Amino acid sequence: PAYVPYVSLHVTSRYQGHDGTILVWRSARPSFEFVQKLLLHSSSSTAVLFDFLEDMQKSRGPLPYAEFVKYHATVLVPHVPNPIALADIYTMNIPLFIPAEPYIY
């Protein structure tokens, strides 16, 4: 069968950003709790603010794409090589931070 890449044709929202806050996408990685603590610690000594998607969804429910595009950038720590979230964020033109090797593993 032919390979058909997931191209996020359903995504129509586009980056509006620049509110200064960075969205941290949820992750199923066991080490993600450490990443959260590290980001929170770094934000206490800098002007960088982080919103954690998982915490927001617990209090507000699912966020529409129209909310994602208002963030200055997104941090994504994928638990698989090709998460659907990556394609969606890329399609919305949101600046994206992903750990490099060896930290991605």
Side-chain angles (χ1 to χ4, degrees):
Y3 172 72
V4 179
Y6 187 77
V7 293
S8 299
L9 296 175
H10 64 285
V11 177
T12 58
S13 297
R14 296 293 180 261
Y15 180 65
Q16 300 169 11
H18 305 298
D19 79 344
T21 305
I22 296 174
L23 179 65
V24 181
W25 206 270
R26 66 186 177 277
S27 175
R29 295 185 63 81
S31 61
F32 187 65
E33 185 177 331
F34 174 75
V35 172
Q36 285 180 301
K37 289 177 183 178
L38 182 67
L39 292 174
L40 286 171
H41 178 72
S42 69
S43 70
S44 66
S45 60
T46 64
V48 178
L49 301 174
F50 295 100
D51 279 347
F52 293 90
L53 180 60
E54 187 172 15
D55 296 339
M56 294 171 60
Q57 288 180 327
K58 286 178 184 175
S59 64
R60 298 172 43 187
L63 290 178
Y65 286 138
E67 292 294 316
F68 293 136
V69 297
K70 294 178 184 176
Y71 282 90
H72 186 69
T74 297
V75 173
L76 178 65
V77 182
H79 60 281
V80 295
N82 57 347
I84 292 173
L86 176 62
D88 291 349
I89 295 166
Y90 186 82
T91 299
M92 290 185 273
N93 300 321
I94 299 171
L96 181 61
F97 296 98
I98 299 175
E101 292 183 295
Y103 307 107
I104 193 70
Y105 300 111

